[in-house]
Amino acid sequence: MDLRVRLLVSLSPLLVALAIVGGVALYSQQRVAAAVAAVDRSARNLVEVAQGETLILLEQYYVGEIINGHQASRSELERIRPEVQRFFGDYASVHEGFVELELVARVETMIAQHDAALTFLERGDRQRALELISSVDYHRNIRAIHSLAVGAQREYEVQYLARIAALERIINEGFWLAATIVSVSIAIALGLAVSLIWQVGKSVDRLTFDAEQLAKSDTYGVLSQISPINQLQRLRDAFQHLIDANYRRQQQLTAALQAQQAQLEREVQLQATIRALSLPVTALGPQTIFLPLVGYLDAERSAQLEQTALNAIQQRRARAVVIDVHGLAAVDESTMQSLMRVGRGAQLLGATAILVGVRPEQALAFTELPTGLFRYARDIPSALSLVS
């Protein structure tokens, strides 16, 4: 399976949880909105009952004041009366319960009693007006109105508290449901993620261990099998291909190195042969050896010259060494120093060093040689005559 797909699968519980939480939130929002509307209705009912009871008390108060001779209260009654009638008219159209309808009917009865008392007062019969608002029926109706208002208020209070509790329950249910869904989804996602991380880490550890073991040895190896995740399998196959290619390249390099070493050994042998041929030592007599110099004397050939000449003097017990310098390509400071070491070495070994074949352009350089270090001859016969 592809690693990206595995990651999406690991995250899928969270995506599902988000979708479910979104649905729960939408459903909870609708329930909360309905519960809030119900709470608002209960609150309005409480306010309406309190407002209606206030209007009833004002109606009753202003009528009593007018009948008792306070004419200033009539304007207040005229102001409050339409409001009382409009309020209870609307109240009756909205509420259809027995208590509400009974309360509206009782209020209408009270208003009718007030109107009758005010009519008696307008006719000048204050006594009949007082008797009417003091009668048993009037007070029984007033007490009934207050009892109905109190009952309605208590009923609305019970409804209000119940709807508040329902609103809290809906909110709590939505919260705990969403929390449970999110918690379970996170737990599942974490489990899948940990499993994926464990598989990836275990596979990487195996590849690392194999790579370390193969790096410590020169032998060919095969990587361990790992988790069937496409990217990891591709990585493992790529490493294995690299190991195979490196092994083949190593074999090729080993073969090339062996061939190069063999070629180098042949070249070394050839160079040794060339060096031996470039400084050949031949005998000119029983105690005379001949050493021709050809080409340039670099540091290596100078050292070889010194070693070859002195070894030949020692081994052949030579009394003279004839050195032909005609073939030297150049006579520089290092060449002069090498010749002086050969001359001093020959003297120490009891032999005479004779230079032959000096060219005119070389003669000035050889004048720098110490006096008595070498003897000079034009050619080999002349050098042999010096020896004899």
Side-chain angles (χ1 to χ4, degrees), residues 75-89:
S75 60
E76 295 294 333
L77 178 63
E78 291 175 355
R79 182 184 62 80
I80 200 68
R81 174 62 66 80
E83 186 175 351
V84 173
Q85 292 175 340
R86 183 175 59 256
F87 176 81
F88 282 99

Side-chain angles (χ1 to χ4, degrees), residues 78-242:
E78 291 175 355
R79 182 184 62 80
I80 200 68
R81 174 62 66 80
E83 186 175 351
V84 173
Q85 292 175 340
R86 183 175 59 256
F87 176 81
F88 282 99
D90 295 339
Y91 189 76
S93 62
V94 173
H95 301 282
E96 297 180 355
F98 173 78
V99 175
E100 290 82 0
L101 295 177
E102 180 67 18
L103 178 60
V104 172
R106 292 285 184 176
V107 171
E108 291 177 352
T109 301
M110 181 194 71
I111 292 174
Q113 290 174 342
H114 287 170
D115 289 340
L118 292 175
T119 300
F120 285 128
L121 181 62
E122 290 174 357
R123 294 177 180 175
D125 193 351
R126 184 183 301 276
Q127 184 63 33
R128 289 290 301 276
L130 289 172
E131 290 177 357
L132 183 57
I133 62 173
S134 301
S135 63
V136 175
D137 292 338
Y138 178 78
H139 286 289
R140 185 182 295 116
N141 187 57
I142 293 298
R143 285 194 297 271
I145 289 174
H146 289 295
S147 296
L148 290 171
V150 170
Q153 186 174 8
R154 289 178 179 174
E155 182 180 354
Y156 293 150
E157 287 178 354
V158 172
Q159 292 179 358
Y160 178 78
L161 295 176
R163 289 169 177 174
I164 287 290
L167 177 60
E168 293 178 351
R169 184 174 63 256
I170 292 171
I171 294 174
N172 290 332
E173 288 176 355
F175 171 77
W176 286 113
L177 181 59
T180 301
I181 294 172
V182 171
S183 299
V184 172
S185 301
I186 290 176
I188 296 174
L190 286 176
L192 294 175
V194 168
S195 175
L196 179 60
I197 292 172
W198 176 264
Q199 292 182 12
V200 173
K202 188 176 181 181
S203 300
V204 172
D205 289 341
R206 285 183 179 176
L207 291 177
T208 303
F209 177 78
D210 291 345
E212 291 174 349
Q213 294 300 316
L214 292 175
K216 294 178 181 178
S217 63
D218 296 332
T219 59
Y220 176 74
V222 179
L223 297 175
S224 302
Q225 295 298 322
I226 58 175
S227 177
I229 297 177
N230 292 347
Q231 283 81 358
L232 294 179
Q233 286 291 339
R234 289 172 56 192
L235 180 62
R236 186 258 180 201
D237 294 341
F239 275 134
Q240 187 63 54
H241 178 72
L242 181 61

